[in-house]
Amino acid sequence: MIKTLPNQVIALAGLSQAACLVQQIAKKGAAEQEPMRASIASTLKIDADDVLDVYGGLEGVRLGLRCLDNQLSGPEQANPEQARYASTLLFLERALMKEPSMVEAIGVSVHRAAERAEAVGVLDEGVLKILAEAYSRTLSQLRPRVLVAGEQRFLAEGENADKIRALLLAGVRSAVLWRQCGGARWKLLFQRGRLQQEARQFLKAL
């Protein structure tokens, strides 16, 4: 992947979108369908021509761009919970890269999920379950763990738990993409203005 600021912003938008959707399910019991479809599909996109192709085009990260813009606007507009999810997923991505056997196991599961999705659709329960189980067997064993806050009645539902874990895996996929495109933690600290400006340019294009 080409290491450019626009590509980094798209990947960060993918990460922000996954965090936002996890929060929606945990707090409301449901997530916006089109953003969720794009996020789950990004996990299944094994071979992509470019960063935008991972998300099916700019429309695929519309929600993520809005969330990212808010997060970069300062404490008054930022969502601390979403920021915590995204930050933890960035840490998990680095931990995962040190565990090649886990990376391989996730790859096998993603391939299975992708084959099933071709036949029954990206948001099929079986597809989500394969991805959720892959997350449980690998990333959930690493530290730090993602602690999802929300309504217990929603979190206790098996289908919602699968969706959340699948979205967390999608978030890690975006974190991997962010690193591949030249992203680094210091850029989130010292290039916030440039990242936000780029995100807003993308939003204007939608």
Side-chain angles (χ1 to χ4, degrees):
M1 294 295 176
I2 300 174
K3 296 182 178 181
T4 65
L5 191 69
N7 282 347
Q8 291 165 27
V9 169
I10 293 166
L12 273 182
L15 176 61
S16 296
Q17 183 160 297
C20 178
L21 293 168
V22 165
Q23 187 182 56
Q24 286 181 7
I25 295 171
K27 294 288 180 66
K28 302 175 182 177
E32 296 176 58
Q33 289 297 287
E34 289 311 310
M36 183 164 173
R37 181 175 283 106
S39 289
I40 298 301
S42 74
T43 313
L44 305 178
K45 196 80 174 181
I46 300 167
D47 298 312
D49 295 329
D50 54 40
V51 178
L52 271 179
D53 187 43
V54 172
Y55 302 100
L58 199 56
E59 183 64 38
V61 287
R62 179 193 289 268
L63 174 63
L65 287 166
R66 291 204 310 266
C67 293
L68 180 60
D69 183 24
N70 287 337
Q71 295 296 77
L72 295 173
S73 292
E76 290 184 2
Q77 286 184 257
N79 185 306
E81 204 165 73
Q82 290 179 25
R84 177 169 60 80
Y85 295 155
S87 178
T88 305
L89 289 172
L90 286 172
F91 275 111
L92 275 178
E93 182 268 337
R94 298 314 296 154
L96 176 65
M97 291 302 105
K98 298 173 184 176
E99 302 287 345
S101 61
M102 285 190 179
V103 174
E104 183 179 356
I106 290 173
V108 170
S109 293
V110 166
H111 187 73
R112 278 180 54 223
E115 287 185 338
R116 182 178 177 91
E118 285 185 12
V120 295
V122 170
L123 296 184
D124 171 72
E125 288 183 19
V127 172
L128 296 173
K129 184 166 286 296
I130 292 170
L131 297 176
E133 289 176 350
Y135 180 88
S136 294
R137 291 196 308 270
T138 57
L139 287 154
S140 69
Q141 308 302 313
L142 301 175
R143 297 294 181 271
R145 297 188 68 178
V146 182
L147 301 177
V148 177
E151 296 284 338
Q152 188 56 38
R153 59 197 173 105
F154 298 139
L155 295 173
E157 291 181 16
E159 189 175 337
N160 282 341
D162 285 346
K163 289 177 180 178
I164 286 172
R165 291 187 183 108
L167 285 167
L168 291 174
L169 186 61
V172 171
R173 163 67 164 126
S174 290
V176 170
L177 200 57
W178 153 255
R179 299 283 184 187
Q180 290 174 336
C181 292
R185 186 164 293 276
W186 67 265
K187 293 189 176 185
L188 294 172
L189 297 173
F190 301 113
Q191 292 191 351
R192 295 174 69 89
R194 290 184 63 196
L195 291 168
Q196 185 177 40
Q197 184 179 20
E198 197 67 42
R200 288 180 172 176
Q201 287 299 318
F202 281 131
L203 285 168
K204 286 180 182 177
L206 285 167

